[in-house]
Amino acid sequence: MSEKISSANGFVQRLMKKVPYTPAAPGLDDLKTSKANKGFSRLSFFKRRIKLKPNSSISIPLGFVLLFPSIVVLLILILVVKHPSSPGRILIPAGTPPSIRKISEKHDRVFATGCLNPEDAAKQPRANAAFVVLARNQELEGVIQSLKSIERHFNRWFHYPYVFLNDGEFTEEFKSGVQNYTSGKTEFGQIDPSMWGFPDWVDIEVAKEGIRKQGDAVIMYGGMESYHHMCRFYSGFFYKHELLDKYEWYWRLEPEIKYFCDITYDPFIEMARNNKTYGFTIAVKELKETVPNIFRYASAYKRKNKIKSQGLWEMFLEPPPEKAAEKKDNREKTFPNAILQTEVGHQNIEEIDPEDMEGEKYNMCHFWSNFEIARLDWFRSKEYEDFFQMMDHSGGFWMERVSFFVLEFANILTGVQWGDAPIHSLAAGALLAPKDIHYFRDFGYRHTTIQHCPANAPARQSPHIPYLEKTTLVEKERIEEDEYWANPDPPKENGVGCRCRCDTDIRDVEGKEGSCLAEWVEVAGGWASP
Ligand code: GDP
Ligand code: MN
């Protein structure tokens, strides 16, 4: 009998090694005691003490030996996933606020973090400044949208004047139309043909004929000609317009733009107080495949005038390749200084790799010039004028060689690299230092599908100041519009905005590919927070 039991026990013991313990299994209950005694239950397996060395007197439970490494592995996993630069961050549930990185304040800092009292600020004297709006009569509606936005968020307190410019004549409808929405003085100017259109040193017939021969370019031509004139006007003439003569500062305003935050201080006064020359809200790369001839000339201007970078030029350069020094040596062999220093207009310049100047390559970054707050006397300086003249006349160089000229001219017409944005930016790069530039990071701004809109500054918000704009005739709509702005976005750590309510259909340009924030930060002193 005892033999039977022990053989049955032996069977159970063998079974227990294969099958996990099941409490509900019948007939096993009474066996449990003997099992436990013999140390075969699952728990007791973990409780079993083992010695690390065969003849050591110290023993530790087996469970601990097995559990310890698992805990360590788990901890490492948690740390890796939680690290801010980990791709595994996606695993963290939504709702965690994205961190806003602080920029070094070595050369530049926001003028105000969060809200100030605009009524107090408006008691101070104004700067000698105006809004500049270039527009066509048919853009009235878009202009009104922009005026409503800037009045609501800023000019209702400060009442800066507006200068409207047009190559044609403004209609009475346009003039009276905009005046319904402006709280500052308005002036309307027509642009003289000397500032708009083909310069007299361009043979228009040759240019047009050449373009006609370019097949597809014919289609482009009609629409693009005025665009070219516009870019040239904003590059080299707007600041010479007589209506701007009396002003020291300007703020450029385009049709169909939006502001998202309240601007509760006077940016002109702050620009002056901080010795700034040029302010931007968005800096982007031109992503289209283009031959950046513009950089070749900008670079030639710099070299010809023996201008040394004051630290901003680097914002517009591709980072030097690893073998930069080696490359430069090779270049010197291929392109003797005589060629590199050729005057623009000399035949030899075409032998220079148009994308590559002395090892420097344009990274296509530019301040997006549809928003600008800047000093007019910088544009009026001899240095800027020389720069513009050189850029402008560079096209003339190709005149004698029609095929090249047409190509060059087609580039001008598409307005990409010859837009006023890279002209202003490369001039700034050559002539200014990072400390002369201001990034209006606290301004929420949108033009077409690009926007920059900051998070609101924590603990620095103040209540919405009602603004029932008078021109919306339907009472209900007026109230609804104001209520929209009465509900700003929640503040976030490191936010700088005041009562911003950002559009949510597109992402902030700061975090997008094609943004030049990193390039700006690099020259502005680096990041101040991870
Ligand atoms: P984009 O922002 O580069 O797409 O260029 P826009 O078409 O917005 O033009 C830039 C600015 O110049 C806007 O303020 C336009 O109203 C203005 N503009 C463009 N072309 C003309 C033109 O032929 N005549 C006038 N008067 N203004 C123009
Ligand atoms: Mn525009």
Side-chain angles (χ1 to χ4, degrees):
M1 188 65 187
S2 72
E3 242 195 61
K4 257 193 168 172
I5 292 172
S6 72
S7 78
N9 256 350
F11 169 75
V12 170
Q13 278 166 24
R14 268 177 277 132
L15 193 75
M16 286 304 293
K17 279 181 194 164
K18 285 183 186 160
V19 184
Y21 168 59
T22 327
L28 286 177
D29 262 10
D30 32 356
L31 295 171
K32 231 161 70 182
T33 2
S34 67
K35 254 183 345 175
N37 290 343
K38 290 178 181 175
F40 278 101
S41 91
R42 224 166 45 152
L43 265 179
S44 66
F45 172 77
F46 285 110
K47 278 186 193 156
R48 238 169 83 176
R49 298 185 79 84
I50 57 159
K51 288 179 177 173
L52 291 177
K53 279 183 188 168
N55 38 11
S56 159
S57 59
I58 308 164
S59 67
I60 42 172
L62 182 61
F64 183 76
V65 175
L66 294 177
L67 217 64
F68 185 71
S70 324
I71 290 172
V72 171
V73 168
L74 202 75
L75 270 174
I76 291 173
L77 266 175
I78 290 171
L79 286 174
V80 164
V81 166
K82 285 210 112 175
H83 192 273
S85 63
S86 161
R89 270 177 78 225
I90 326 157
L91 299 173
I92 296 170
T96 321
S99 55
I100 300 161
R101 294 181 84 182
K102 275 192 179 168
I103 302 172
S104 157
E105 296 186 343
K106 190 175 168 200
H107 299 299
D108 183 48
R109 54 187 298 178
V110 286
F111 294 144
T113 300
C115 304
L116 300 173
N117 182 339
E119 279 140 4
D120 281 353
K123 283 176 197 144
Q124 306 301 313
R126 290 296 163 279
N128 185 8
F131 287 101
V132 173
V133 190
L134 175 71
R136 289 163 285 207
N137 289 312
Q138 66 265 34
E139 289 174 298
L140 177 59
E141 218 173 293
V143 169
I144 288 175
Q145 178 196 314
S146 301
L147 291 174
K148 280 179 75 170
S149 185
I150 197 66
E151 283 290 336
R152 163 173 293 281
H153 293 290
F154 170 74
N155 215 38
R156 60 160 145 158
W157 299 299
F158 294 90
H159 313 304
Y160 272 101
Y162 294 85
V163 175
F164 293 91
L165 298 175
N166 186 358
D167 58 310
E169 208 178 322
F170 280 122
T171 57
E172 280 312 311
E173 189 202 350
F174 185 95
K175 291 192 208 174
S176 58
V178 298
Q179 271 163 337
N180 289 333
Y181 298 87
T182 47
S183 72
K185 184 182 81 175
T186 51
E187 283 178 282
F188 299 88
Q190 193 167 347
I191 300 161
D192 190 88
S194 67
M195 296 187 175
W196 192 277
F198 293 103
D200 52 18
W201 45 265
V202 163
D203 187 330
I204 300 171
E205 282 319 304
V206 171
K208 288 192 175 178
E209 178 58 26
I211 280 152
R212 239 171 264 133
K213 283 182 192 153
Q214 287 293 302
D216 282 355
V218 178
I219 303 156
M220 222 164 53
Y221 186 67
M224 288 301 177
E225 186 181 323
S226 70
Y227 191 84
H228 160 62
H229 297 327
M230 179 274 289
C231 290
R232 190 166 171 271
F233 174 75
Y234 261 132
S235 296
F237 297 98
F238 77 98
Y239 48 88
K240 294 171 190 157
H241 194 279
E242 57 180 13
L243 286 182
L244 292 186
D245 279 351
K246 56 186 171 297
Y247 294 115
E248 239 180 296
W249 298 91
Y250 76 99
W251 181 333
R252 177 162 157 186
L253 194 66
E254 270 210 9
E256 289 184 69
I257 55 89
K258 273 190 199 173
Y259 283 90
F260 298 114
C261 312
D262 281 351
I263 299 162
T264 53
Y265 63 90
D266 185 330
F268 297 115
I269 294 286
E270 290 302 324
M271 289 283 284
R273 187 178 292 157
N274 290 278
N275 258 318
K276 297 287 181 181
T277 300
Y278 186 93
F280 72 97
T281 54
I282 290 170
V284 281
K285 271 188 183 111
E286 186 56 66
L287 291 173
K288 282 177 212 160
E289 279 295 314
T290 50
V291 181
N293 285 315
I294 200 166
F295 184 75
R296 179 161 49 144
Y297 294 113
S299 187
Y301 165 84
K302 222 175 125 255
R303 193 169 58 252
K304 195 177 151 217
N305 293 285
K306 300 192 170 59
I307 293 168
K308 262 196 73 184
S309 166
Q310 298 171 58
L312 187 63
W313 181 251
E314 285 67 22
M315 178 178 169
F316 305 105
L317 302 182
E318 289 280 5
E322 279 166 343
K323 290 179 182 171
E326 203 180 294
K327 197 175 169 207
K328 192 164 181 286
D329 279 357
N330 287 338
R331 280 195 58 82
E332 270 160 17
K333 278 177 209 134
T334 333
F335 301 111
N337 266 354
I339 291 178
L340 289 171
Q341 286 166 3
T342 309
E343 287 249 335
V344 168
H346 192 284
Q347 295 289 340
N348 282 342
I349 204 160
E350 75 192 63
E351 289 173 33
I352 296 169
D353 177 353
E355 289 194 45
D356 199 340
M357 290 302 302
E358 298 180 359
E360 290 180 351
K361 197 169 175 177
Y362 185 32
N363 62 11
M364 299 293 210
C365 284
H366 50 266
F367 303 124
W368 222 29
S369 62
N370 50 72
F371 166 94
E372 272 178 340
I373 295 181
R375 279 189 84 95
L376 286 160
D377 65 2
W378 177 59
F379 288 101
R380 292 168 183 149
S381 69
K382 185 182 178 304
E383 289 77 14
Y384 184 88
E385 184 60 24
D386 287 351
F387 180 84
F388 171 70
Q389 287 303 330
M390 174 155 172
M391 300 307 279
D392 197 31
H393 281 81
S394 63
F397 167 66
W398 304 108
M399 287 264 255
E400 58 203 271
R401 306 190 46 170
V402 174
S403 60
F404 270 109
F405 171 67
V406 168
L407 271 181
E408 196 74 0
F409 204 72
N411 280 338
I412 294 172
L413 291 176
T414 56
V416 179
Q417 64 271 42
W418 292 96
D420 53 290
I423 293 272
H424 290 183
S425 302
L426 290 173
L431 301 171
L432 302 175
K435 67 168 169 44
D436 303 319
I437 307 293
H438 180 62
Y439 175 24
F440 282 98
R441 204 182 193 190
D442 54 329
F443 282 20
Y445 177 75
R446 175 175 184 159
H447 174 272
T448 62
T449 52
I450 301 185
Q451 77 173 358
H452 162 63
C453 189
N456 285 315
R460 284 174 189 256
Q461 299 302 305
S462 53
H464 168 73
I465 305 169
Y467 179 63
L468 289 174
E469 189 264 326
K470 291 165 218 73
T471 51
T472 307
L473 297 176
V474 186
E475 172 84 2
K476 190 169 160 274
E477 280 173 24
R478 268 201 285 165
I479 294 169
E480 270 170 11
E481 197 190 337
D482 198 53
E483 275 171 0
Y484 178 88
W485 294 106
N487 293 295
D489 297 337
K492 277 182 194 163
E493 198 186 342
N494 291 345
V496 289
C498 167
R499 297 194 282 269
C500 307
R501 183 161 178 184
C502 306
D503 275 356
T504 51
D505 59 329
I506 48 172
R507 268 169 55 210
D508 194 296
V509 68
E510 275 200 3
K512 274 174 111 169
E513 198 190 339
S515 156
C516 290
L517 180 69
E519 285 78 358
W520 161 249
V521 170
E522 181 73 20
V523 298
W527 291 106
S529 76

